[in-house]
Amino acid sequence: RNHLHAAGHICVLKDAFMYESPTEIANLTSTDKFDAALAIHLYKGGRLLQGSRIPFGIIFGGTDVNEDTKCKEKHRVMGAVLGEARFAVAFTMKMKELAAAEWPDARKKIYVQTQGIKTTPSETFDWYRFLQNADIPTDTGSLRVFLLICGLRRVKDPLYLVDIFSDWHRKDPSVHLGIIGPAVDPLFTSEVKEKVKRASGVHLLQEMPQDDLHAAMKRCFAVVNSSISEGMSAAILEAMDLDTPVLARNIPGNAAIIKHKETGLLFSNPQEFVVLSKSLMNDPIMEREIVTKAKDHVKKHHSWESERKAYQNLVLRL
């Protein structure tokens, strides 16, 4: 939205979950005299623009191309939406290739634009209050907090590491895992709450403003991603920009931005997560090298300015 506002457009954000059908969106666009639309996620957002009277573009989310293509009806809807879209944006070449394999006619309209990253850690953030609110003891000198940042839904698999982390914490009380993010799926969120309640060393934290979250990421030992499927994780890129090491599950979306033992660490199972975490804790030189290379990678490949130019140009196609 900032990119479009900066180019002089008026941009209104709407949550796709608030709408049931394309008719509701058609009513909204005609009542408020919108000129164009941009949907995030080919199925969740895109299906609402089918048959739209205004031109629109699509930004792939990740689960649309990675997961929703497996469902016949969703596949059909997404193909129709992509047929009508003026353009589509994929975060990686791999995602473009996956989409083009499903809908070959759309290949020419799919552009690759990585996510641009800009971090804004709060200057006034109180780390000790944050730890107290999370019930993490602040009196241990060697405290190491791992942060898992994600919306609470199954595809993000926040429970993947809970058992093994809890076992590790019992042997080494200085390690703690904080899970932080919005309750996207209420039923699953209650499952997460129940499980975390019984897991020592694992904490479910309150959602917080982005500036504070960035400050917490900067202070924590490492940022963790345990998703089953990812498009391109903004939290991983933000951590890399904030000089915080990243430990991520070895899935295509994560492997596209992390080079193992160079810009972060990739694990294939919970046991490997603990082994890699310990190696990071015991090797400050490796940690320093990873953090330095990760920051360079973000500067080079995830420039906020390049992203701004790309979207300002794409919107002109609408």
Side-chain angles (χ1 to χ4, degrees), residues 109-183:
K109 63 166 79 166
I110 303 173
Y111 296 82
V112 177
Q113 174 57 49
T114 56
Q115 283 198 75
I117 288 299
K118 192 182 202 181
T119 53
T120 52
S122 161
E123 297 289 328
T124 55
F125 177 71
D126 188 334
W127 175 242
Y128 292 98
R129 178 171 292 171
F130 169 78
L131 295 175
Q132 282 170 334
N133 290 343
D135 285 331
I136 296 173
T138 53
D139 48 6
T140 50
S142 62
L143 181 70
R144 288 187 173 97
V145 178
F146 293 73
L147 280 186
L148 173 56
I149 301 151
C150 66
L152 299 182
R153 52 196 177 113
R154 287 190 195 281
V155 75
K156 298 292 181 183
D157 210 2
L159 297 177
Y160 184 63
L161 299 169
V162 166
D163 288 338
I164 198 129
F165 202 99
S166 200
D167 288 345
W168 182 25
H169 171 78
R170 279 194 284 275
K171 293 173 196 135
D172 178 358
S174 75
V175 296
H176 289 262
L177 175 66
I179 301 171
I180 186 163

Side-chain angles (χ1 to χ4, degrees), residues 60-75:
F60 295 138
T63 50
D64 41 12
V65 178
N66 292 329
E67 304 293 324
D68 293 341
T69 45
K70 297 167 192 168
C71 165
K72 205 172 169 184
E73 176 54 18
K74 286 182 179 178
H75 190 288

Side-chain angles (χ1 to χ4, degrees), residues 21-68:
S21 70
T23 314
E24 289 176 64
I25 292 292
N27 292 341
L28 172 78
T29 56
S30 55
T31 310
D32 291 352
K33 307 262 187 301
F34 285 103
D35 300 307
L38 191 54
I40 299 173
H41 201 283
L42 185 53
Y43 183 73
K44 288 177 193 154
R47 69 186 175 87
L48 299 169
L49 292 172
Q50 259 192 294
S52 174
R53 62 162 199 90
I54 57 171
F56 66 87
I58 295 288
I59 301 169
F60 295 138
T63 50
D64 41 12
V65 178
N66 292 329
E67 304 293 324
D68 293 341

Side-chain angles (χ1 to χ4, degrees), residues 8-312:
H9 305 291
I10 295 166
C11 184
V12 178
L13 280 182
K14 294 286 182 187
D15 185 345
F17 288 112
M18 289 165 58
Y19 299 92
E20 294 283 314
S21 70
T23 314
E24 289 176 64
I25 292 292
N27 292 341
L28 172 78
T29 56
S30 55
T31 310
D32 291 352
K33 307 262 187 301
F34 285 103
D35 300 307
L38 191 54
I40 299 173
H41 201 283
L42 185 53
Y43 183 73
K44 288 177 193 154
R47 69 186 175 87
L48 299 169
L49 292 172
Q50 259 192 294
S52 174
R53 62 162 199 90
I54 57 171
F56 66 87
I58 295 288
I59 301 169
F60 295 138
T63 50
D64 41 12
V65 178
N66 292 329
E67 304 293 324
D68 293 341
T69 45
K70 297 167 192 168
C71 165
K72 205 172 169 184
E73 176 54 18
K74 286 182 179 178
H75 190 288
R76 185 194 64 74
V77 170
M78 291 192 293
V81 171
L82 203 46
E84 289 180 42
R86 292 275 175 97
F87 63 81
V89 178
F91 293 145
T92 62
M93 198 63 204
K94 184 154 184 157
M95 204 190 288
K96 172 176 175 160
E97 290 306 326
L98 284 173
E102 299 293 338
W103 303 285
D105 293 350
R107 177 182 287 276
K108 284 197 173 78
K109 63 166 79 166
I110 303 173
Y111 296 82
V112 177
Q113 174 57 49
T114 56
Q115 283 198 75
I117 288 299
K118 192 182 202 181
T119 53
T120 52
S122 161
E123 297 289 328
T124 55
F125 177 71
D126 188 334
W127 175 242
Y128 292 98
R129 178 171 292 171
F130 169 78
L131 295 175
Q132 282 170 334
N133 290 343
D135 285 331
I136 296 173
T138 53
D139 48 6
T140 50
S142 62
L143 181 70
R144 288 187 173 97
V145 178
F146 293 73
L147 280 186
L148 173 56
I149 301 151
C150 66
L152 299 182
R153 52 196 177 113
R154 287 190 195 281
V155 75
K156 298 292 181 183
D157 210 2
L159 297 177
Y160 184 63
L161 299 169
V162 166
D163 288 338
I164 198 129
F165 202 99
S166 200
D167 288 345
W168 182 25
H169 171 78
R170 279 194 284 275
K171 293 173 196 135
D172 178 358
S174 75
V175 296
H176 289 262
L177 175 66
I179 301 171
I180 186 163
V184 181
D185 174 341
L187 197 67
F188 181 59
T189 300
S190 54
E191 206 178 298
V192 172
K193 281 181 179 164
E194 274 311 301
K195 177 101 177 173
V196 167
K197 217 184 278 178
R198 297 191 297 274
S200 59
V202 182
H203 315 262
L204 192 57
L205 311 177
Q206 289 292 313
E207 229 190 314
M208 56 208 288
Q210 194 172 37
D211 297 3
D212 286 345
L213 181 60
H214 286 167
M217 287 163 80
K218 205 171 169 60
R219 289 296 304 266
C220 76
F221 176 70
V223 165
V224 181
N225 177 296
S226 58
S227 298
I228 294 165
S229 166
E230 276 291 355
M232 182 174 281
S233 164
I236 287 179
L237 294 171
E238 287 165 352
M240 289 163 91
D241 191 53
L242 291 162
D243 297 315
T244 302
V246 175
L247 289 134
R249 195 164 172 175
N250 194 356
I251 54 169
N254 291 344
I257 47 176
I258 290 175
K259 208 165 177 192
H260 185 53
K261 293 194 172 171
E262 278 195 33
T263 54
L265 297 168
L266 295 168
F267 58 88
S268 299
N269 55 55
Q271 292 74 16
E272 194 181 5
F273 164 79
V274 175
V275 170
L276 290 169
S277 296
K278 286 177 178 173
S279 72
L280 195 64
M281 285 159 61
N282 297 327
D283 191 343
I285 294 167
M286 175 176 84
E287 183 194 355
R288 196 67 250 145
E289 284 176 358
I290 283 176
V291 160
T292 306
K293 284 181 182 158
K295 179 129 184 161
D296 288 347
H297 174 84
V298 169
K299 271 204 181 101
K300 201 182 285 180
H301 300 287
H302 298 277
S303 149
W304 194 75
E305 287 76 17
S306 307
E307 183 189 57
R308 168 164 285 199
K309 271 193 210 113
Y311 281 106
Q312 289 178 350

